[in-house]
């Protein structure tokens, strides 16, 4: 695996590959890699000749600075995992390489309502930061495909919109959420859960699945209340939101027939760890 820390070195390498008619799939990450990320790498391997991944803990998407500081950094382990899973190129830049001369504050995309709800309503400026860094990474890597995980459903909706706003030639590919055996969605934040919190955490997915079971047997309102009650019953979890939303607009639905498929999504605090998850139903 080639590892580049400088934009120009990476671009020279990728230009040679493109001249040799190699297609490129790109899986951006913030490191602290787990099998969820590896499924993105495997997807890249399947759809393109060359798999590029990046590790960059993007400061502009953290509304809470202590969350940025606490974000796990495990680059040596990450590098080994990427090699083992057949990644061809890793881009691992310093902040100055991504945001030269204080460009950190430049961002100005209009996502309409997409970034106002769910995560957007609870994490001011988060998606502006995500869009900013993804746009910058796409300018640098110029991949044929960007591969992202369904676990960050709203993020995939924002990036799809970004690609359309910027008339990008890159296509987005969304890869399914990878779960632990007990259902907990894999996340870099899971390592910060204490033992008892880790035991509680699968309730989040189980509660989303309860909505699937209730699909069209009770009202949307009742199904939502059922999931909320399940999570709250643990006594240790605090819900930021739990909503049933339209898959494209992310607006809350009130009737099962408001959309052909529905995304049930939640964000939950467990101790000082904030976890998100979603499922698509039916
Ligand atoms: O999903 C993530 O890890 C990040 O939001 C991303 C897409 C790498 C941008 O920093």
């Amino acid at each position: 695996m080639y590892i580049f820390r400088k934009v120009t070195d990476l671009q020279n390498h990728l230009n040679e590959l493109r001249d040799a008619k190699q297609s490129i799939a790109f899986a951006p990450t913030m490191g602290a890699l787990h099998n969820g990320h590896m499924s993105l790498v495997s997807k890249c391997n399947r759809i393109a000749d060359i798999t590029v991944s990046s590790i960059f803990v993007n400061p502009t998407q953290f509304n809470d600075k202590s969350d940025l500081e606490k974000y796990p950094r495990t680059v040596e382990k990450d590098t080994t995992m990427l090699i083992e899973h057949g990644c061809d190129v890793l881009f691992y830049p310093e902040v100055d390489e991504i945001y030269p001369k204080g460009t950190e504050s430049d961002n100005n995309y209009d996502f309409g309502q997409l970034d106002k709800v769910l995560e957007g309503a609870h994490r001011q400026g988060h998606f502006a930061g995500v869009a900013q860094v993804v746009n910058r990474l796409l300018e640098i890597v110029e991949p044929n495909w960007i591969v992202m995980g369904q676990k960050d459903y709203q993020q995939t909706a924002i990036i799809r919109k970004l690609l359309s706003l910027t008339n990008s030639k890159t296509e987005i590919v969304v890869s399914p959420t990878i779960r632990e055996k007990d259902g907990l969605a894999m996340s870099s934040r899971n390592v910060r859960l204490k033992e008892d919190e880790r035991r509680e955490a699968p309730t989040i997915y189980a509660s989303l699945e309860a909505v699937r079971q209730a699909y069209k047997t009770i009202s949307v309102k009742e199904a939502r209340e059922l999931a909320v009650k399940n999570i709250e019953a643990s006594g240790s979890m605090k819900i930021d939101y739990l909503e049933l939303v339209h898959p494209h607009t992310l607006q809350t639905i009130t009737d099962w027939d408001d959309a052909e498929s529905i995304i049930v999504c939640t964000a939950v605090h467990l101790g000082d760890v904030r976890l998100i998850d979603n499922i698509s139903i039916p």
Side-chain angles (χ1 to χ4, degrees):
M1 183 174 75
Y2 290 88
I3 303 177
F4 295 104
R5 304 218 63 187
K6 298 282 174 207
V7 170
T8 47
D9 295 341
L10 173 73
Q11 285 180 324
N12 289 340
H13 182 74
L14 295 182
N15 284 339
E16 278 175 24
L17 294 170
R18 266 188 287 266
D19 289 346
K21 303 276 173 264
Q22 301 281 285
S23 61
I24 297 171
F26 174 48
T29 82
M30 297 204 297
L33 302 182
H34 49 68
N35 284 339
H37 294 110
M38 292 308 110
S39 76
L40 304 182
V41 168
S42 301
K43 176 67 105 185
C44 290
N45 289 342
R46 283 198 295 279
I47 62 178
D49 301 312
I50 300 294
T51 295
V52 179
S53 189
S54 59
I55 295 177
F56 179 65
V57 184
N58 173 35
T60 69
Q61 71 187 74
F62 286 84
N63 52 325
D64 174 354
K65 290 298 157 209
S66 80
D67 199 21
L68 170 63
E69 277 151 28
K70 280 188 276 183
Y71 204 83
R73 286 158 172 88
T74 56
V75 73
E76 275 175 29
K77 181 170 161 264
D78 294 349
T79 308
T80 308
M81 282 180 92
L82 287 169
I83 293 170
E84 282 171 3
H85 286 81
C87 180
D88 300 296
V89 177
L90 169 62
F91 181 42
Y92 173 46
E94 301 275 5
V95 174
D96 289 353
E97 209 51 25
I98 296 293
Y99 301 121
K101 291 189 237 98
T103 53
E104 279 190 36
S105 55
D106 298 353
N107 37 139
N108 48 8
Y109 303 102
D110 182 2
F111 294 112
Q113 287 304 305
L114 283 183
D115 62 346
K116 312 281 182 298
V117 295
L118 309 173
E119 286 300 286
H122 286 84
R123 302 179 69 190
Q124 282 305 312
H126 169 66
F127 286 120
V130 169
Q132 177 188 31
V133 77
V134 171
N135 191 52
R136 175 81 179 117
L137 289 167
L138 290 176
E139 273 170 13
I140 295 168
V141 178
E142 293 183 70
N144 302 78
W145 299 277
I146 180 168
V147 177
M148 307 191 90
Q150 150 107 15
K151 185 182 150 272
D152 295 290
Y153 187 85
Q154 191 172 10
Q155 173 167 274
T156 66
I158 296 278
I159 299 307
R160 185 170 280 114
K161 179 79 179 170
L162 174 75
L163 295 175
S164 119
L165 288 172
T166 56
N167 294 318
S168 173
K169 291 200 181 82
T170 301
E171 276 174 44
I172 182 168
V173 174
V174 178
S175 195
T177 304
I178 305 296
R179 300 183 180 279
E180 302 289 353
K181 281 202 183 74
D182 58 13
L184 176 65
M186 288 194 187
S187 161
S188 306
R189 293 190 158 93
N190 292 353
V191 294
R192 289 177 39 218
L193 293 170
K194 301 199 179 86
E195 222 174 287
D196 53 330
E197 293 165 349
R198 176 63 190 81
R199 271 198 302 275
E200 291 286 341
T203 307
I204 300 169
Y205 175 59
S207 305
L208 300 182
E209 280 295 323
V211 178
R212 189 198 302 285
Q213 296 308 318
Y215 182 64
K216 291 196 173 178
T217 65
I218 53 179
S219 70
V220 166
K221 186 166 175 280
E222 286 164 339
R224 181 186 172 278
E225 280 165 8
L226 178 77
V228 167
K229 240 195 198 150
N230 266 344
I231 294 177
E232 285 176 345
S234 76
S236 52
M237 296 197 239
K238 193 182 144 287
I239 298 175
D240 260 357
Y241 62 82
L242 190 151
E243 301 292 348
L244 283 73
V245 301
H246 188 286
H248 302 143
T249 64
L250 305 185
Q251 293 301 299
T252 302
I253 59 137
T254 53
D255 190 285
W256 295 117
D257 293 327
D258 283 351
E260 257 175 49
S261 72
I262 294 161
I263 308 297
V264 191
C265 44
T266 191
V268 172
H269 292 271
L270 194 41
D272 65 356
V273 184
R274 186 174 182 279
L275 299 174
I276 60 170
D277 199 356
N278 71 82
I279 59 168
S280 169
I281 60 170

